[in-house]
Amino acid sequence: MLTDSEFQYRAGTLFCEDVNLTEIAAIHGTPAYVYSKRGIETKYRAYEEALAGISHRICYAVKANSNLAVLQTLARLGAGFDIVSAGELFRVLKAGARADAVVFSGVGKTAEDVRYAIENGIHSFNCESEAELHLLSEIASKVNTCISVAFRVNPDVDAITHPYISTGLREHKFGADIGLVESLYECAMKLPGIRPEGVSCHIGSQLLDLKPLWEAAEKVLALVRRLKRSGVPIRELDLGGGLGVPYRGAEHGVSVSDFISGLRERLAGEDLRLLLEPGRSIVAEAGILLTKVLFTKRNGQKNFVIVDAAMNDLIRPTLYQAHHEIVPVVKRLDAGHLTADIVGPVCETGDFFARGRELPEAGSGDLLAIRTAGAYGFVLSSNYNSRPRVCELLVDGSRVHVARRRETFEDLIRGEDLLQ
Ligand SMILES: *Cc1c(COP(=O)(O)O)cnc(C)c1O
């Protein structure tokens, strides 16, 4: 069941909250990402409510959707943030968030990234290797500070998701081997500028089964107990993000409250603060990509619906073989059905949103909504084929806020120089 309840039909026309999507298209043009502010807030609050009584902080994973207005919406609710680059920290601070609620993840932090984050006073680093540990120690000592560090451990758990978004097996580049990490903590205890106070892990994304998450939590908790016994003052446990959302009509997402109640049992009596880094499960269902049909055509046995959005705007179908439901913005009662490939104008065979999809007959000028596009949508977009990036609109009740204006041709060449 799709649970993007902020997108509902009223008298046959799709709305985002109280705004008619045909009006949005008329005023702001297409393609356009449309986000529901209430949808984002509802998902965030579901985590907060489930975590009541547990010492915790929710650090929204910025990479899922880093629009300033989205970050600001979450910052106002008291969210912390999980960043993977200095650029993401820059955004988070611009959005009005507190630096001391930010954790820094990522397998390849540069010295410049680390310095910028330390200067801005972030909460902690999720460290992925011994070499990184030395870098953190060196930079922190140089500026006479002491930073909180958690090792990201790799618990060797199969997350059972798409291979490109699975990260928790020993063969992946992420984290430190859970069997070898204790020597890294020993090393960290002796280094200046470093307080090893946490353990973190993140086993993958779009997980639709809670078992791997609990298995990882148990393995990591056993590690925490071993570390505490040997004198490492672990106070925080960061279990990453990864909760899946339903992309198909028939699919069920995982329930945040089931996940947290499973954690609640396992964490009882542990005296740890829990950090979580949800990205997709906060924003995916709160967004759609609004697009217009340009042409329809038939090549041999195949029908094609050519729309004005393309793989450069939403690459998930191409990159992850991801499924997105695609629905007409205006339901026509007399429309028959056709089976078609829904494709964009980019010169790549991989430029498709759906293949062999059954949908109500659509013609030039009709609007379609590509659903569940709030996460890993705009953030992965590019200017390929010199296509200006689309606008992002944040709907709040009956108001539409232009969260990012559509790029112009001038934007396309910004920073480029002709030869003299
Ligand atoms: C991508 C990522 C997340 C967020 O994952 P979602 O599946 O979007 O919840 C959290 N933590 C880390 C370290 C990540 O790389």
Side-chain angles (χ1 to χ4, degrees), residues 47 59-65 82-84 103-107 126 128 152 165 167 174 200-207 238-244 276-283 375-376:
Y47 272 96
C59 295
Y60 165 71
V62 173
K63 73 175 193 277
N65 183 328
D82 170 47
I83 58 164
V84 292
V103 300
F104 197 158
S105 299
V107 66
N126 288 337
E128 300 220 9
R152 173 169 177 184
I165 50 176
T167 56
F174 297 101
S200 75
C201 90
H202 170 77
I203 60 169
S205 198
Q206 185 52 16
L207 312 183
D238 181 343
L239 289 176
L243 289 202
L276 293 175
E277 302 168 351
R280 187 192 311 271
S281 53
I282 304 262
V283 290
Y376 305 106

mmCIF file of all heavy atoms in Angstrom, residues 47 59-65 82-84 103-107 126 128 152 165 167 174 200-207 238-244 276-283 375-376, ligand 1:
data_model
loop_
_atom_site.group_PDB
_atom_site.id
_atom_site.type_symbol
_atom_site.label_atom_id
_atom_site.label_comp_id
_atom_site.label_asym_id
_atom_site.label_seq_id
_atom_site.Cartn_x
_atom_site.Cartn_y
_atom_site.Cartn_z
ATOM 1 N N TYR A 47 8.794 8.762 14.033
ATOM 2 C CA TYR A 47 10.027 8.324 14.707
ATOM 3 C C TYR A 47 10.059 8.872 16.134
ATOM 4 O O TYR A 47 10.335 8.137 17.085
ATOM 5 C CB TYR A 47 11.265 8.822 13.950
ATOM 6 C CG TYR A 47 11.745 7.894 12.844
ATOM 7 C CD1 TYR A 47 11.370 8.108 11.524
ATOM 8 C CD2 TYR A 47 12.590 6.823 13.121
ATOM 9 C CE1 TYR A 47 11.822 7.270 10.502
ATOM 10 C CE2 TYR A 47 13.050 5.987 12.104
ATOM 11 C CZ TYR A 47 12.658 6.219 10.799
ATOM 12 O OH TYR A 47 13.112 5.391 9.802
ATOM 13 N N CYS A 59 18.942 11.755 13.427
ATOM 14 C CA CYS A 59 19.812 12.532 12.547
ATOM 15 C C CYS A 59 19.422 12.238 11.100
ATOM 16 O O CYS A 59 19.868 11.247 10.518
ATOM 17 C CB CYS A 59 21.272 12.179 12.794
ATOM 18 S SG CYS A 59 21.826 12.640 14.442
ATOM 19 N N TYR A 60 18.568 13.087 10.541
ATOM 20 C CA TYR A 60 18.086 12.894 9.167
ATOM 21 C C TYR A 60 19.283 12.831 8.194
ATOM 22 O O TYR A 60 20.174 13.689 8.237
ATOM 23 C CB TYR A 60 17.144 14.050 8.800
ATOM 24 C CG TYR A 60 16.865 14.159 7.332
ATOM 25 C CD1 TYR A 60 16.078 13.215 6.683
ATOM 26 C CD2 TYR A 60 17.407 15.195 6.572
ATOM 27 C CE1 TYR A 60 15.833 13.303 5.325
ATOM 28 C CE2 TYR A 60 17.170 15.300 5.216
ATOM 29 C CZ TYR A 60 16.380 14.344 4.599
ATOM 30 O OH TYR A 60 16.161 14.433 3.240
ATOM 31 N N ALA A 61 19.281 11.806 7.335
ATOM 32 C CA ALA A 61 20.376 11.640 6.364
ATOM 33 C C ALA A 61 20.176 12.623 5.204
ATOM 34 O O ALA A 61 19.340 12.423 4.330
ATOM 35 C CB ALA A 61 20.411 10.204 5.847
ATOM 36 N N VAL A 62 20.984 13.660 5.211
ATOM 37 C CA VAL A 62 20.814 14.791 4.285
ATOM 38 C C VAL A 62 20.863 14.353 2.827
ATOM 39 O O VAL A 62 20.199 14.925 1.967
ATOM 40 C CB VAL A 62 21.895 15.860 4.577
ATOM 41 C CG1 VAL A 62 21.881 16.973 3.548
ATOM 42 C CG2 VAL A 62 21.709 16.416 5.983
ATOM 43 N N LYS A 63 21.646 13.306 2.537
ATOM 44 C CA LYS A 63 21.833 12.948 1.129
ATOM 45 C C LYS A 63 20.532 12.521 0.444
ATOM 46 O O LYS A 63 20.420 12.594 -0.768
ATOM 47 C CB LYS A 63 22.902 11.871 0.974
ATOM 48 C CG LYS A 63 22.512 10.477 1.411
ATOM 49 C CD LYS A 63 23.665 9.507 1.059
ATOM 50 C CE LYS A 63 23.261 8.048 1.161
ATOM 51 N NZ LYS A 63 23.333 7.530 2.535
ATOM 52 N N ALA A 64 19.519 12.105 1.207
ATOM 53 C CA ALA A 64 18.263 11.652 0.599
ATOM 54 C C ALA A 64 17.515 12.794 -0.087
ATOM 55 O O ALA A 64 16.882 12.600 -1.136
ATOM 56 C CB ALA A 64 17.366 11.005 1.650
ATOM 57 N N ASN A 65 17.562 13.972 0.522
ATOM 58 C CA ASN A 65 16.947 15.172 -0.070
ATOM 59 C C ASN A 65 17.512 16.355 0.700
ATOM 60 O O ASN A 65 17.208 16.537 1.874
ATOM 61 C CB ASN A 65 15.416 15.140 0.061
ATOM 62 C CG ASN A 65 14.751 16.338 -0.616
ATOM 63 O OD1 ASN A 65 15.311 17.435 -0.663
ATOM 64 N ND2 ASN A 65 13.557 16.128 -1.136
ATOM 65 N N ASP A 82 22.612 13.800 9.606
ATOM 66 C CA ASP A 82 23.726 12.935 9.238
ATOM 67 C C ASP A 82 24.240 13.432 7.902
ATOM 68 O O ASP A 82 23.494 13.458 6.924
ATOM 69 C CB ASP A 82 23.235 11.484 9.130
ATOM 70 C CG ASP A 82 24.271 10.567 8.509
ATOM 71 O OD1 ASP A 82 25.443 10.633 8.929
ATOM 72 O OD2 ASP A 82 23.919 9.795 7.595
ATOM 73 N N ILE A 83 25.515 13.840 7.870
ATOM 74 C CA ILE A 83 26.089 14.384 6.633
ATOM 75 C C ILE A 83 27.186 13.466 6.110
ATOM 76 O O ILE A 83 27.764 12.682 6.875
ATOM 77 C CB ILE A 83 26.685 15.794 6.862
ATOM 78 C CG1 ILE A 83 27.770 15.753 7.947
ATOM 79 C CG2 ILE A 83 25.585 16.789 7.241
ATOM 80 C CD1 ILE A 83 28.668 16.976 7.963
ATOM 81 N N VAL A 84 27.453 13.551 4.816
ATOM 82 C CA VAL A 84 28.540 12.776 4.223
ATOM 83 C C VAL A 84 29.549 13.661 3.482
ATOM 84 O O VAL A 84 30.406 13.158 2.770
ATOM 85 C CB VAL A 84 28.012 11.672 3.270
ATOM 86 C CG1 VAL A 84 27.271 10.597 4.049
ATOM 87 C CG2 VAL A 84 27.104 12.260 2.199
ATOM 88 N N VAL A 103 26.103 14.570 12.823
ATOM 89 C CA VAL A 103 27.110 13.508 12.774
ATOM 90 C C VAL A 103 27.624 13.398 11.336
ATOM 91 O O VAL A 103 26.874 13.598 10.384
ATOM 92 C CB VAL A 103 26.575 12.138 13.261
ATOM 93 C CG1 VAL A 103 26.090 12.230 14.699
ATOM 94 C CG2 VAL A 103 25.476 11.600 12.374
ATOM 95 N N PHE A 104 28.902 13.089 11.209
ATOM 96 C CA PHE A 104 29.572 13.081 9.911
ATOM 97 C C PHE A 104 29.943 11.652 9.544
ATOM 98 O O PHE A 104 30.819 11.051 10.146
ATOM 99 C CB PHE A 104 30.831 13.953 10.005
ATOM 100 C CG PHE A 104 31.415 14.390 8.676
ATOM 101 C CD1 PHE A 104 32.231 15.518 8.608
ATOM 102 C CD2 PHE A 104 31.163 13.698 7.495
ATOM 103 C CE1 PHE A 104 32.793 15.929 7.412
ATOM 104 C CE2 PHE A 104 31.701 14.105 6.295
ATOM 105 C CZ PHE A 104 32.521 15.231 6.252
ATOM 106 N N SER A 105 29.252 11.095 8.538
ATOM 107 C CA SER A 105 29.524 9.737 8.066
ATOM 108 C C SER A 105 30.288 9.795 6.754
ATOM 109 O O SER A 105 30.435 10.865 6.162
ATOM 110 C CB SER A 105 28.207 8.986 7.824
ATOM 111 O OG SER A 105 27.458 8.880 9.004
ATOM 112 N N GLY A 106 30.720 8.643 6.268
ATOM 113 C CA GLY A 106 31.327 8.589 4.936
ATOM 114 C C GLY A 106 32.707 7.975 4.961
ATOM 115 O O GLY A 106 33.478 8.170 5.899
ATOM 116 N N VAL A 107 33.001 7.238 3.904
ATOM 117 C CA VAL A 107 34.205 6.412 3.865
ATOM 118 C C VAL A 107 35.428 7.200 3.396
ATOM 119 O O VAL A 107 36.560 6.786 3.609
ATOM 120 C CB VAL A 107 33.946 5.158 2.985
ATOM 121 C CG1 VAL A 107 33.720 5.537 1.522
ATOM 122 C CG2 VAL A 107 35.057 4.149 3.095
ATOM 123 N N ASN A 126 31.560 9.620 12.431
ATOM 124 C CA ASN A 126 31.520 8.170 12.270
ATOM 125 C C ASN A 126 32.727 7.798 11.418
ATOM 126 O O ASN A 126 32.767 8.072 10.218
ATOM 127 C CB ASN A 126 30.218 7.727 11.597
ATOM 128 C CG ASN A 126 29.029 7.862 12.534
ATOM 129 O OD1 ASN A 126 29.180 7.863 13.757
ATOM 130 N ND2 ASN A 126 27.839 7.979 11.967
ATOM 131 N N GLU A 128 35.639 5.436 9.655
ATOM 132 C CA GLU A 128 35.549 4.160 8.934
ATOM 133 C C GLU A 128 36.873 3.400 8.796
ATOM 134 O O GLU A 128 36.904 2.321 8.228
ATOM 135 C CB GLU A 128 34.939 4.390 7.544
ATOM 136 C CG GLU A 128 33.547 4.991 7.598
ATOM 137 C CD GLU A 128 32.586 4.406 6.568
ATOM 138 O OE1 GLU A 128 32.933 3.417 5.911
ATOM 139 O OE2 GLU A 128 31.482 4.954 6.453
ATOM 140 N N ARG A 152 32.391 3.199 12.565
ATOM 141 C CA ARG A 152 31.335 2.512 11.824
ATOM 142 C C ARG A 152 31.787 1.083 11.629
ATOM 143 O O ARG A 152 32.803 0.836 10.970
ATOM 144 C CB ARG A 152 31.099 3.167 10.472
ATOM 145 C CG ARG A 152 30.114 2.365 9.626
ATOM 146 C CD ARG A 152 29.678 3.129 8.434
ATOM 147 N NE ARG A 152 28.796 2.341 7.598
ATOM 148 C CZ ARG A 152 28.336 2.758 6.434
ATOM 149 N NH1 ARG A 152 28.683 3.934 5.979
ATOM 150 N NH2 ARG A 152 27.532 2.008 5.727
ATOM 151 N N ILE A 165 22.736 -0.674 -3.001
ATOM 152 C CA ILE A 165 22.412 0.046 -1.766
ATOM 153 C C ILE A 165 22.530 -0.854 -0.554
ATOM 154 O O ILE A 165 21.969 -0.605 0.495
ATOM 155 C CB ILE A 165 21.016 0.734 -1.837
ATOM 156 C CG1 ILE A 165 19.945 -0.239 -2.297
ATOM 157 C CG2 ILE A 165 21.061 1.956 -2.735
ATOM 158 C CD1 ILE A 165 18.541 0.360 -2.296
ATOM 159 N N THR A 167 25.240 -2.381 2.132
ATOM 160 C CA THR A 167 26.551 -1.887 2.565
ATOM 161 C C THR A 167 27.156 -2.683 3.716
ATOM 162 O O THR A 167 28.262 -2.396 4.150
ATOM 163 C CB THR A 167 26.438 -0.423 3.049
ATOM 164 O OG1 THR A 167 25.449 -0.365 4.084
ATOM 165 C CG2 THR A 167 26.043 0.508 1.938
ATOM 166 N N PHE A 174 32.379 -0.296 3.052
ATOM 167 C CA PHE A 174 31.981 0.508 4.201
ATOM 168 C C PHE A 174 32.393 -0.101 5.535
ATOM 169 O O PHE A 174 32.375 -1.313 5.719
ATOM 170 C CB PHE A 174 30.462 0.709 4.198
ATOM 171 C CG PHE A 174 30.003 1.465 2.997
ATOM 172 C CD1 PHE A 174 29.446 0.807 1.913
ATOM 173 C CD2 PHE A 174 30.154 2.841 2.935
ATOM 174 C CE1 PHE A 174 29.036 1.510 0.791
ATOM 175 C CE2 PHE A 174 29.750 3.551 1.818
ATOM 176 C CZ PHE A 174 29.188 2.883 0.746
ATOM 177 N N SER A 200 28.835 2.846 15.531
ATOM 178 C CA SER A 200 27.781 3.075 14.548
ATOM 179 C C SER A 200 27.774 1.969 13.510
ATOM 180 O O SER A 200 28.782 1.269 13.312
ATOM 181 C CB SER A 200 27.974 4.439 13.868
ATOM 182 O OG SER A 200 29.032 4.390 12.949
ATOM 183 N N CYS A 201 26.632 1.805 12.867
ATOM 184 C CA CYS A 201 26.562 0.900 11.719
ATOM 185 C C CYS A 201 25.393 1.300 10.823
ATOM 186 O O CYS A 201 24.462 1.975 11.255
ATOM 187 C CB CYS A 201 26.504 -0.563 12.156
ATOM 188 S SG CYS A 201 24.892 -1.251 12.408
ATOM 189 N N HIS A 202 25.492 0.949 9.576
ATOM 190 C CA HIS A 202 24.423 1.228 8.598
ATOM 191 C C HIS A 202 24.561 0.133 7.548
ATOM 192 O O HIS A 202 25.556 0.092 6.842
ATOM 193 C CB HIS A 202 24.611 2.619 7.977
ATOM 194 C CG HIS A 202 23.707 2.879 6.799
ATOM 195 N ND1 HIS A 202 22.368 3.186 6.944
ATOM 196 C CD2 HIS A 202 23.940 2.848 5.463
ATOM 197 C CE1 HIS A 202 21.830 3.350 5.743
ATOM 198 N NE2 HIS A 202 22.755 3.151 4.834
ATOM 199 N N ILE A 203 23.578 -0.767 7.475
ATOM 200 C CA ILE A 203 23.785 -1.976 6.659
ATOM 201 C C ILE A 203 23.221 -1.874 5.246
ATOM 202 O O ILE A 203 23.469 -2.753 4.430
ATOM 203 C CB ILE A 203 23.226 -3.241 7.349
ATOM 204 C CG1 ILE A 203 21.717 -3.119 7.599
ATOM 205 C CG2 ILE A 203 23.988 -3.519 8.637
ATOM 206 C CD1 ILE A 203 21.088 -4.438 8.036
ATOM 207 N N GLY A 204 22.472 -0.804 4.965
ATOM 208 C CA GLY A 204 21.950 -0.681 3.603
ATOM 209 C C GLY A 204 20.672 0.121 3.597
ATOM 210 O O GLY A 204 20.231 0.620 4.633
ATOM 211 N N SER A 205 20.109 0.252 2.418
ATOM 212 C CA SER A 205 18.956 1.123 2.247
ATOM 213 C C SER A 205 17.793 0.342 1.647
ATOM 214 O O SER A 205 17.983 -0.723 1.064
ATOM 215 C CB SER A 205 19.373 2.263 1.312
ATOM 216 O OG SER A 205 18.492 3.347 1.409
ATOM 217 N N GLN A 206 16.599 0.913 1.784
ATOM 218 C CA GLN A 206 15.365 0.295 1.262
ATOM 219 C C GLN A 206 15.209 -1.134 1.793
ATOM 220 O O GLN A 206 14.913 -2.080 1.056
ATOM 221 C CB GLN A 206 15.356 0.356 -0.285
ATOM 222 C CG GLN A 206 14.083 -0.132 -0.986
ATOM 223 C CD GLN A 206 12.794 0.510 -0.477
ATOM 224 O OE1 GLN A 206 12.788 1.522 0.195
ATOM 225 N NE2 GLN A 206 11.671 -0.103 -0.771
ATOM 226 N N LEU A 207 15.392 -1.303 3.105
ATOM 227 C CA LEU A 207 15.204 -2.607 3.738
ATOM 228 C C LEU A 207 13.720 -2.793 4.036
ATOM 229 O O LEU A 207 13.088 -1.955 4.673
ATOM 230 C CB LEU A 207 15.998 -2.699 5.046
ATOM 231 C CG LEU A 207 17.460 -2.251 4.972
ATOM 232 C CD1 LEU A 207 18.160 -2.461 6.306
ATOM 233 C CD2 LEU A 207 18.195 -3.014 3.890
ATOM 234 N N ASP A 238 24.758 4.265 17.232
ATOM 235 C CA ASP A 238 24.141 4.827 16.038
ATOM 236 C C ASP A 238 23.819 3.680 15.085
ATOM 237 O O ASP A 238 24.728 3.018 14.590
ATOM 238 C CB ASP A 238 25.124 5.821 15.398
ATOM 239 C CG ASP A 238 24.561 6.485 14.148
ATOM 240 O OD1 ASP A 238 23.589 5.974 13.584
ATOM 241 O OD2 ASP A 238 25.123 7.521 13.747
ATOM 242 N N LEU A 239 22.529 3.443 14.852
ATOM 243 C CA LEU A 239 22.151 2.294 14.017
ATOM 244 C C LEU A 239 21.841 2.673 12.570
ATOM 245 O O LEU A 239 21.266 1.884 11.824
ATOM 246 C CB LEU A 239 20.984 1.533 14.657
ATOM 247 C CG LEU A 239 21.378 0.757 15.937
ATOM 248 C CD1 LEU A 239 20.149 0.098 16.567
ATOM 249 C CD2 LEU A 239 22.438 -0.307 15.650
ATOM 250 N N GLY A 240 22.215 3.905 12.170
ATOM 251 C CA GLY A 240 22.102 4.269 10.761
ATOM 252 C C GLY A 240 20.667 4.458 10.312
ATOM 253 O O GLY A 240 19.754 4.685 11.116
ATOM 254 N N GLY A 241 20.477 4.346 8.997
ATOM 255 C CA GLY A 241 19.131 4.498 8.429
ATOM 256 C C GLY A 241 18.722 3.206 7.761
ATOM 257 O O GLY A 241 19.080 2.131 8.243
ATOM 258 N N GLY A 242 18.000 3.308 6.660
ATOM 259 C CA GLY A 242 17.748 2.125 5.846
ATOM 260 C C GLY A 242 16.327 1.611 5.782
ATOM 261 O O GLY A 242 16.043 0.716 4.977
ATOM 262 N N LEU A 243 15.423 2.121 6.626
ATOM 263 C CA LEU A 243 14.056 1.583 6.571
ATOM 264 C C LEU A 243 13.456 1.818 5.186
ATOM 265 O O LEU A 243 13.534 2.909 4.643
ATOM 266 C CB LEU A 243 13.149 2.227 7.627
ATOM 267 C CG LEU A 243 13.385 1.871 9.099
ATOM 268 C CD1 LEU A 243 12.118 2.133 9.907
ATOM 269 C CD2 LEU A 243 13.834 0.444 9.292
ATOM 270 N N GLY A 244 12.850 0.773 4.633
ATOM 271 C CA GLY A 244 12.304 0.837 3.287
ATOM 272 C C GLY A 244 10.910 1.440 3.257
ATOM 273 O O GLY A 244 10.208 1.494 4.267
ATOM 274 N N LEU A 276 19.689 7.523 15.267
ATOM 275 C CA LEU A 276 19.223 6.899 14.030
ATOM 276 C C LEU A 276 19.440 7.896 12.902
ATOM 277 O O LEU A 276 19.409 9.112 13.128
ATOM 278 C CB LEU A 276 17.742 6.521 14.125
ATOM 279 C CG LEU A 276 17.390 5.411 15.123
ATOM 280 C CD1 LEU A 276 15.879 5.229 15.199
ATOM 281 C CD2 LEU A 276 18.055 4.086 14.742
ATOM 282 N N GLU A 277 19.663 7.384 11.696
ATOM 283 C CA GLU A 277 19.957 8.239 10.540
ATOM 284 C C GLU A 277 18.993 7.958 9.386
ATOM 285 O O GLU A 277 19.412 7.603 8.287
ATOM 286 C CB GLU A 277 21.391 7.989 10.059
ATOM 287 C CG GLU A 277 22.468 8.214 11.100
ATOM 288 C CD GLU A 277 23.838 7.680 10.669
ATOM 289 O OE1 GLU A 277 23.925 6.977 9.637
ATOM 290 O OE2 GLU A 277 24.817 7.957 11.374
ATOM 291 N N PRO A 278 17.694 8.096 9.594
ATOM 292 C CA PRO A 278 16.758 7.809 8.499
ATOM 293 C C PRO A 278 16.807 8.887 7.429
ATOM 294 O O PRO A 278 16.910 10.073 7.738
ATOM 295 C CB PRO A 278 15.399 7.802 9.202
ATOM 296 C CG PRO A 278 15.566 8.725 10.367
ATOM 297 C CD PRO A 278 17.006 8.578 10.811
ATOM 298 N N GLY A 279 16.770 8.481 6.189
ATOM 299 C CA GLY A 279 16.703 9.422 5.075
ATOM 300 C C GLY A 279 15.432 9.159 4.287
ATOM 301 O O GLY A 279 14.417 9.838 4.425
ATOM 302 N N ARG A 280 15.489 8.091 3.479
ATOM 303 C CA ARG A 280 14.379 7.743 2.597
ATOM 304 C C ARG A 280 13.023 7.681 3.328
ATOM 305 O O ARG A 280 12.020 8.192 2.827
ATOM 306 C CB ARG A 280 14.664 6.370 1.975
ATOM 307 C CG ARG A 280 13.678 5.949 0.900
ATOM 308 C CD ARG A 280 13.868 4.456 0.567
ATOM 309 N NE ARG A 280 15.244 4.109 0.316
ATOM 310 C CZ ARG A 280 15.830 4.159 -0.884
ATOM 311 N NH1 ARG A 280 15.137 4.528 -1.938
ATOM 312 N NH2 ARG A 280 17.104 3.830 -1.017
ATOM 313 N N SER A 281 13.008 7.045 4.503
ATOM 314 C CA SER A 281 11.717 6.813 5.172
ATOM 315 C C SER A 281 11.085 8.108 5.676
ATOM 316 O O SER A 281 9.916 8.135 6.022
ATOM 317 C CB SER A 281 11.881 5.812 6.320
ATOM 318 O OG SER A 281 12.908 6.229 7.201
ATOM 319 N N ILE A 282 11.857 9.206 5.689
ATOM 320 C CA ILE A 282 11.276 10.500 6.079
ATOM 321 C C ILE A 282 10.715 11.239 4.856
ATOM 322 O O ILE A 282 9.662 11.855 4.936
ATOM 323 C CB ILE A 282 12.353 11.398 6.752
ATOM 324 C CG1 ILE A 282 12.986 10.690 7.952
ATOM 325 C CG2 ILE A 282 11.791 12.774 7.101
ATOM 326 C CD1 ILE A 282 12.458 11.026 9.302
ATOM 327 N N VAL A 283 11.430 11.183 3.728
ATOM 328 C CA VAL A 283 11.061 12.075 2.616
ATOM 329 C C VAL A 283 10.520 11.400 1.357
ATOM 330 O O VAL A 283 9.866 12.059 0.545
ATOM 331 C CB VAL A 283 12.252 12.986 2.211
ATOM 332 C CG1 VAL A 283 12.522 14.017 3.281
ATOM 333 C CG2 VAL A 283 13.501 12.174 1.896
ATOM 334 N N ALA A 375 12.819 11.039 -2.167
ATOM 335 C CA ALA A 375 14.164 10.661 -1.726
ATOM 336 C C ALA A 375 14.997 10.199 -2.912
ATOM 337 O O ALA A 375 14.502 9.462 -3.772
ATOM 338 C CB ALA A 375 14.098 9.538 -0.696
ATOM 339 N N TYR A 376 16.258 10.591 -2.941
ATOM 340 C CA TYR A 376 17.189 10.185 -3.997
ATOM 341 C C TYR A 376 16.613 10.526 -5.377
ATOM 342 O O TYR A 376 16.809 9.788 -6.339
ATOM 343 C CB TYR A 376 17.552 8.695 -3.856
ATOM 344 C CG TYR A 376 18.096 8.392 -2.473
ATOM 345 C CD1 TYR A 376 17.336 7.703 -1.529
ATOM 346 C CD2 TYR A 376 19.345 8.853 -2.083
ATOM 347 C CE1 TYR A 376 17.810 7.469 -0.242
ATOM 348 C CE2 TYR A 376 19.835 8.626 -0.813
ATOM 349 C CZ TYR A 376 19.057 7.939 0.105
ATOM 350 O OH TYR A 376 19.533 7.715 1.375
HETATM 351 C C1 LIG B 1 22.502 6.614 3.044
HETATM 352 C C2 LIG B 1 22.788 6.560 4.486
HETATM 353 C C3 LIG B 1 21.751 6.714 5.414
HETATM 354 C C4 LIG B 1 20.305 6.894 5.015
HETATM 355 O O1 LIG B 1 19.778 5.739 4.433
HETATM 356 P P1 LIG B 1 18.211 5.662 4.085
HETATM 357 O O2 LIG B 1 18.072 4.336 3.462
HETATM 358 O O3 LIG B 1 17.913 6.774 3.162
HETATM 359 O O4 LIG B 1 17.470 5.780 5.381
HETATM 360 C C5 LIG B 1 22.082 6.719 6.747
HETATM 361 N N1 LIG B 1 23.366 6.545 7.164
HETATM 362 C C6 LIG B 1 24.384 6.384 6.302
HETATM 363 C C7 LIG B 1 25.756 6.205 6.817
HETATM 364 C C8 LIG B 1 24.128 6.369 4.941
HETATM 365 O O5 LIG B 1 25.135 6.184 4.078
#
